[in-house]
Amino acid sequence: VNSTIEHRSLHHRAAQHNSIHMRLLLLLLSCLLQPHSTNSLGHPALLTSIKSFHQPPSSSVADACRIFHGRGGLHPGADHLTLDYYAPVFLLTSFGVELEDNELDSYCSALCETLDANEDDDDISQQHELTIVYQCRGANTTAETRLLCGTIPDPHIVTENNGHDQYLIHLLRGQNHGLFLDMSNGRTWLRNKCQTKDISSVLNLFSYTCAFS
C-alpha cells in the first residue's frame, strides 16, 4: 500500500512539473509571438523616416504615400508600425500594440521638426498645419482612431499618379480609410497595363468599391 501511495505521489509531482514546464513554454512562445512595443522615445527607424520625409510645396501636387512600412519585418521591433501621408494629414497606425503617450509625443515632435526644417530650407510649409491621426488596431477589438492635432479637410480628397487620380477618404470613420497605400504599386501596374492595351478587361475579385475599381 505504501509503495502504491508513494508511486502515486511521485506521479502527481511529475505531472505538476510537466504542467509548470508547459505553462512556461506557452508563456515564452506568447512573448516571442507578441508584437514588441517600441521604447518610450520612439522607434529609431520610424524617427529616421520622419526626418527624411520632404513635404511637397503647398502649390504643387502632394500624392498620398507610405512614409514608413514596418509590417514587412525589415525593421526589427517595428512590425506593428506604419506611417502614411494623406495630404495634408499624417496617419500613424499601430497594429496590436497600444503606444504610450510619451512615444506618441516623440513622433509628433519629430513631424513638427520636419515641417519646420522644410520651412527653413524651402519656405514651403508656411501654409501647412501639422495634422496627425493615430489609429490603434487591437487584435480582437475595434480600431481606436483619434485626432492628435490639427484639422482634417472636409471633404478629404487625396491623389496618386501625380495628381491624376483622386480618391475621397475618411480617416476618422471606421477601420479602413478608402485607399490602401501599400497597394499603390499594384494600381500603377494595372493602370499602365490598361493604358497600353496589354489587357482589355479586368475582373476585380477584391472589391467593387475600393480604389482598384
Side-chain angles (χ1 to χ4, degrees):
V1 173
N2 291 337
S3 176
T4 302
I5 293 175
E6 183 179 357
H7 176 74
R8 289 179 178 177
S9 178
L10 290 173
H11 180 74
H12 178 69
R13 287 200 297 270
Q16 283 183 323
H17 284 301
N18 290 337
S19 178
I20 292 173
H21 291 160
M22 182 59 69
R23 287 199 296 269
L24 289 174
L25 179 60
L26 291 176
L27 179 60
L28 176 60
L29 289 174
S30 176
C31 291
L32 291 175
L33 295 176
Q34 181 71 20
H36 296 291
S37 178
T38 59
N39 58 55
S40 60
L41 298 178
H43 195 281
L46 175 51
L47 291 172
T48 299
S49 295
I50 291 175
K51 292 178 181 178
S52 61
F53 177 71
H54 194 21
Q55 191 175 32
S58 56
S59 58
S60 67
V61 174
D63 280 347
C65 65
R66 173 149 293 181
I67 299 173
F68 180 78
H69 186 74
R71 302 287 285 167
L74 181 61
H75 307 286
D79 292 7
H80 56 294
L81 293 171
T82 62
L83 179 64
D84 297 321
Y85 182 57
Y86 293 94
V89 183
F90 294 93
L91 172 68
L92 174 65
T93 306
S94 180
F95 295 83
V97 177
E98 185 173 356
L99 303 183
E100 298 179 357
D101 289 341
N102 51 0
E103 184 176 351
L104 289 174
D105 289 342
S106 69
Y107 298 136
C108 292
S109 297
L111 286 168
C112 185
E113 291 174 3
T114 295
L115 293 189
D116 289 342
N118 286 343
E119 182 176 4
D120 293 339
D121 292 342
D122 303 310
D123 194 26
I124 64 173
S125 301
Q126 55 184 356
Q127 298 183 10
H128 286 304
E129 175 189 22
L130 178 59
T131 302
I132 305 174
V133 172
Y134 166 61
Q135 182 180 89
C136 181
R137 299 194 183 190
N140 300 310
T141 60
T142 304
E144 175 196 0
T145 308
R146 53 191 167 106
L147 180 64
L148 298 182
C149 62
T151 305
I152 298 178
D154 185 19
H156 191 181
I157 298 175
V158 299
T159 64
E160 280 189 330
N161 189 28
N162 293 322
H164 291 95
D165 301 331
Q166 296 186 336
Y167 304 98
L168 176 65
I169 64 170
H170 39 80
L171 296 183
L172 295 179
R173 191 183 75 219
Q175 177 170 290
N176 298 319
H177 318 297
L179 181 65
F180 296 95
L181 295 184
D182 54 350
M183 294 300 296
S184 177
N185 290 339
R187 287 188 290 274
T188 299
W189 178 88
L190 182 61
R191 182 190 305 110
N192 293 337
K193 290 294 184 180
C194 291
Q195 289 177 345
T196 58
K197 306 301 182 181
D198 288 346
I199 53 178
S200 58
S201 61
V202 178
L203 175 62
N204 185 359
L205 299 179
F206 178 69
S207 171
Y208 64 91
T209 58
C210 286
F212 260 101
S213 296

